[in-house]
Amino acid sequence: MIIDLHNHSYYSDGVLSPSEVVCLAKKEGCDVFALTDHDTTDGLMEAQQQADESDLKLIHGVEISAMWSNMTVHIVGLGVDINNETLQMGLKQHQDFRQARAEKMARGLGGAGVFGAMEKTQAIAKKGMITRTHFAQMLVKEGVCKDMKSVFKRFLTGKKPGGVGGKWAEFDEVISWIHAAGGQAVLAHPLRYRMTNTKVKRLLSHLSAAGLDGVEVVTGSSSGDEITLVSQWAKEFELLSSIGSDYHGWPSQRVRIGHLQDMPKVNKTVWQDW
Ligand code: AMP
Ligand code: MN
Ligand code: MN
Ligand code: MN
């Protein structure tokens, strides 16, 4: 069984349309696939239509930004009812915050001599949602930076021009939205938060106490040692294990949908009861 439970379309910061991502997942041999756009479920209707045509099992997902200890973390919801009001009210709050944050970022960039940042970025974002990735693409396109990595370093983080604090909902609230919609809450890419391992364990402990169901043990960028480490944490905190490439479709991103390392056999998985 080939399973990939973390992927993006152009409804957030991916490059492909939901139908294109689903077709690609099928072509790459996936049996089970989740579309998990940032803070929106709007791509799932189109994805479902294509999944029905392609005979692929689509899991309705979403990757929600959340605050923990004043830091931003990402919590993936899997198997959510996209018509659930609590979930959609929460996502709406995040979409509104993204809009206000984008305007603030554009002002910051204006102060650094990058003019018309909002309009130029809006032209890149296909479906209205603006992420930092879109600002990064704009800055590369305008020749301000040579690649995405240098943009994030020079512009879009911390006290840099274009850097703004995240004020997403707190982690426990985000977990409760996912549960209200009947989904499983999974901590995304636990080793990508620039935290020490001790701190990640504290994060897992706090999120578990708030009802977290699982953690991504295998991601598109995991090494064998990282899989072993997170797999042990999953057991320690009694969390189910998940797997996902975090595919965005950028030319610079080397991961392929469905081409992931194996889940260690001992782990209980998020899909064990599907
Ligand atoms: P946002 O949710 O709008 O703050 O944007 C976060 C997104 O930006 C992440 O989901 C990544 O896709 C992307 N991102 C964050 N940091 C980097 C980085 N250093 N290089 C490339 N992409 C990044
Ligand atoms: Mn992203
Ligand atoms: Mn993420
Ligand atoms: Mn992601």
Side-chain angles (χ1 to χ4, degrees):
M1 276 259 278
I2 298 186
I3 302 177
D4 191 333
L5 302 176
H6 187 153
N7 294 277
H8 296 272
S9 76
Y10 63 34
Y11 275 79
S12 63
D13 56 352
V15 171
L16 303 178
S17 71
S19 323
E20 288 167 336
V21 190
V22 168
C23 284
L24 183 58
K26 182 72 186 176
K27 193 169 139 235
E28 300 282 20
C30 276
D31 301 292
V32 185
F33 170 83
L35 181 67
T36 54
D37 275 312
H38 295 286
D39 301 307
T40 181
T41 58
D42 290 353
L44 283 163
M45 290 239 283
E46 182 187 321
Q48 187 62 61
Q49 267 181 4
Q50 188 58 52
D52 291 343
E53 273 177 41
S54 305
D55 194 26
L56 176 73
K57 184 172 168 67
L58 176 75
I59 302 301
H60 289 188
V62 60
E63 181 176 16
I64 310 182
S65 317
M67 300 311 295
W68 173 74
S69 193
N70 266 324
M71 283 176 282
T72 299
V73 296
H74 288 171
I75 301 174
V76 168
L78 294 174
V80 292
D81 168 11
I82 60 177
N83 295 315
N84 180 269
E85 245 176 72
T86 306
L87 175 65
Q88 291 303 339
M89 269 167 51
L91 296 181
K92 174 74 170 57
Q93 179 189 316
H94 279 195
Q95 288 155 14
D96 291 347
F97 171 67
R98 280 186 176 281
Q99 186 65 28
R101 185 187 73 153
E103 282 157 20
K104 219 164 141 187
M105 285 167 66
R107 281 197 295 277
L109 290 171
V114 183
F115 302 111
M118 192 66 187
E119 293 71 24
K120 286 173 185 160
T121 304
Q122 261 162 343
I124 290 173
K126 290 212 178 66
K127 288 287 167 185
M129 165 180 293
I130 300 185
T131 70
R132 282 186 299 159
T133 307
H134 296 112
F135 276 100
Q137 284 166 335
M138 183 275 290
L139 289 165
V140 173
K141 191 170 165 217
E142 292 290 311
V144 179
C145 290
K146 66 175 195 316
D147 56 28
M148 302 270 280
K149 206 173 158 187
S150 54
V151 179
F152 276 90
K153 241 189 176 147
R154 279 176 57 195
F155 285 101
L156 303 179
T157 48
K159 301 246 183 297
K160 310 282 167 59
V164 284
K167 255 303 169 205
W168 313 103
E170 284 291 318
F171 65 96
D172 49 349
E173 214 183 327
V174 168
I175 292 171
S176 76
W177 297 344
I178 293 169
H179 285 168
Q184 289 164 296
V186 174
L187 178 69
H189 43 67
L191 298 178
R192 280 234 310 266
Y193 297 117
R194 292 168 201 274
M195 292 179 197
T196 60
N197 286 352
T198 313
K199 203 156 185 181
V200 180
K201 286 180 78 172
R202 202 175 320 135
L203 164 70
L204 283 169
S205 147
H206 287 178
L207 267 60
S208 294
L212 188 78
D213 301 284
V215 58
E216 283 181 355
V217 169
V218 180
T219 77
S221 57
S222 302
S223 70
D225 286 348
E226 288 172 343
I227 292 171
T228 306
L229 179 67
V230 182
S231 168
Q232 279 164 359
W233 290 343
K235 265 182 265 167
E236 187 175 337
F237 295 101
E238 296 183 16
L239 292 165
L240 302 172
S241 299
S242 190
I243 182 166
S245 61
D246 205 2
Y247 175 84
H248 286 76
W250 308 321
S252 60
Q253 203 195 18
R254 281 198 301 269
V255 303
R256 284 170 68 189
I257 296 181
H259 290 252
L260 289 146
Q261 300 197 58
D262 289 337
M263 179 67 78
K265 291 250 172 339
V266 286
N267 288 62
K268 285 190 175 172
T269 61
V270 284
W271 61 86
Q272 62 180 4
D273 297 326
W274 292 356

